[in-house]
Amino acid sequence: MATQSCAHRRVPQFDQARQLALLFQAVESARNGIVITDPNLPDNPIIYTNPGFSDITGYSADEIIGRNCRFLQGDERDQQAVHELRKAVKEKTSVTTILRNYKKDGRLFFNELTISPVHGENERLVAFVGIQNDITARIEAQSRISDFYSVVSHELRTPIAKIKSSLAVIAEGEAGPVSDAVRRFVEISIKSADSLWGLIENILDFKKLESGKFRLILQRLAMAQLIESVIAGFEPVANRASVKLKYQCLASPAVNADGQRIVQVVENLLSNAIKFSSKDSEVTVRLILRDSWVRLEIIDTGVGITESDIPKLFDKFQQLESPDRRMRGGTGLGLAICKAIIEAHGGQVGVHSTPGQGSTFWFELEQAL
Ligand SMILES: Cc1cc2nc3c(=O)[nH]c(=O)nc-3n(C[C@H](O)[C@H](O)[C@H](O)COP(=O)(O)O)c2cc1C
């Protein structure tokens, strides 16, 4: 039965001996460590290892054959992965896990291991095969990234918060009289500190999103009012850029969503729309209902996005050059965060655009009944 089911995977022009030789050479040439154990012998000993296994662990075949693979664990016998492997061997099933293992010279390595039962005639268990992958470099890189995030959150946030509050004290004249010239420079500094703060917030948000530590606090929200208040809060930004904000509220549906996060998305899309609009133009915010989907569109008449850039737009760290070849500031994370937030709500986000005529960014959330 097992022979029949794998017949189509064989090289048809090879006889059985050549097929076996090819299989053996393939296993011997693999960069992964490959071991075969015999569960019908006491303590499930290794009966075959390939050179890849020796390259990873530093042990020669002679030092390995006849032993149980647990010798790679050193004293670390109480790992979750070891429990998973023990269960899989007992239940004769397959498992993939990551183990802390030790090379012959005592160095730790992270072993991404898959073991699978091998069945012979009449479905009898004849062996286990284990495929090992040394993923130490990947795990170390992840740990460096995690260190970086903790530096960002603890060692950058606090001083920037202090810079922001001190500058605010100066700008408001609370530390003494301020000349117009000084005030201008302080305002520029406040703006820069604010964008640095925004970048840090975005990086930390993104980390939460990526690691799945992002919790939504869902509640019933009246979208029409929520959007109206975001637009009202954006009037000063629009005025400074000489852009007119127009609100077309064509429905007043409710959604089950995290209000703070939806406001974050709308603010992000609005600030982009204003940033890419020319003076004296309009940005229209349109709220509509399409079947059971509440759709918000933010329509600008700005520089637009080329067709080839659209698929990259919602990827992290993408800073697109506008058709007039100017970069417009921002972290390159905003749209990726918007997408993640909307998708976490079970919604969709997208854009359509014509270069030179403008863009429409939209998102849809399911209407609450
Ligand atoms: C085919 C196969 C390959 C294995 N490879 C490894 C390995 O590379 N490193 C390791 O620590 N354990 C490996 N194990 C797991 C151990 O041999 C053993 O099953 C595990 O430590 C749990 O059982 P124990 O409590 O008897 O030690 C492998 C097991 C099998 C069946």
Side-chain angles (χ1 to χ4, degrees), residues 35-39 43-44 46 53 57 67-74 76-77 79 81-87 89 99-102 109 111 113-116 127-132:
V35 297
I36 300 175
T37 67
D38 186 345
D43 205 26
N44 198 7
I46 299 169
F53 185 92
T57 63
R67 299 172 79 177
N68 182 293
C69 293
R70 76 171 75 81
F71 73 93
L72 291 171
Q73 295 157 15
E76 295 202 48
R77 295 276 299 134
Q79 305 177 48
V82 173
H83 296 287
E84 290 169 27
L85 286 164
R86 190 175 301 135
K87 185 165 178 275
V89 170
L99 286 143
R100 291 168 64 87
N101 272 175
Y102 291 87
F109 74 101
N111 184 355
L113 170 70
T114 298
I115 65 164
S116 312
F128 269 97
V129 57
I131 303 195
Q132 287 128 351

Side-chain angles (χ1 to χ4, degrees), residues 167-219:
L167 287 171
V169 169
I170 299 172
E172 278 155 28
E174 287 170 25
V178 190
S179 71
D180 284 351
V182 171
R183 188 184 308 279
R184 245 195 348 269
F185 284 114
V186 170
E187 275 162 8
I188 293 170
S189 308
I190 290 178
K191 247 176 124 181
S192 303
D194 280 346
S195 34
L196 204 52
W197 183 261
L199 169 65
I200 292 169
E201 291 291 297
N202 272 351
I203 291 174
L204 295 178
D205 256 359
F206 203 80
K207 193 220 168 185
K208 265 193 235 155
L209 283 162
E210 277 199 322
S211 61
K213 285 190 191 140
F214 188 74
R215 297 269 164 270
L216 293 176
I217 305 166
L218 298 181
Q219 50 183 330

Side-chain angles (χ1 to χ4, degrees), residues 136 139 233:
T136 313
I139 299 273

Side-chain angles (χ1 to χ4, degrees), residues 36-97:
I36 300 175
T37 67
D38 186 345
N40 299 312
L41 290 175
D43 205 26
N44 198 7
I46 299 169
I47 54 171
Y48 166 80
T49 72
N50 74 340
F53 185 92
S54 297
D55 290 344
I56 292 174
T57 63
Y59 289 99
S60 67
D62 289 349
E63 293 169 306
I64 302 165
I65 301 291
R67 299 172 79 177
N68 182 293
C69 293
R70 76 171 75 81
F71 73 93
L72 291 171
Q73 295 157 15
D75 294 335
E76 295 202 48
R77 295 276 299 134
D78 199 27
Q79 305 177 48
Q80 172 64 27
V82 173
H83 296 287
E84 290 169 27
L85 286 164
R86 190 175 301 135
K87 185 165 178 275
V89 170
K90 189 165 166 235
E91 294 174 359
K92 305 177 180 142
T93 55
S94 176
V95 73
T96 299
T97 190

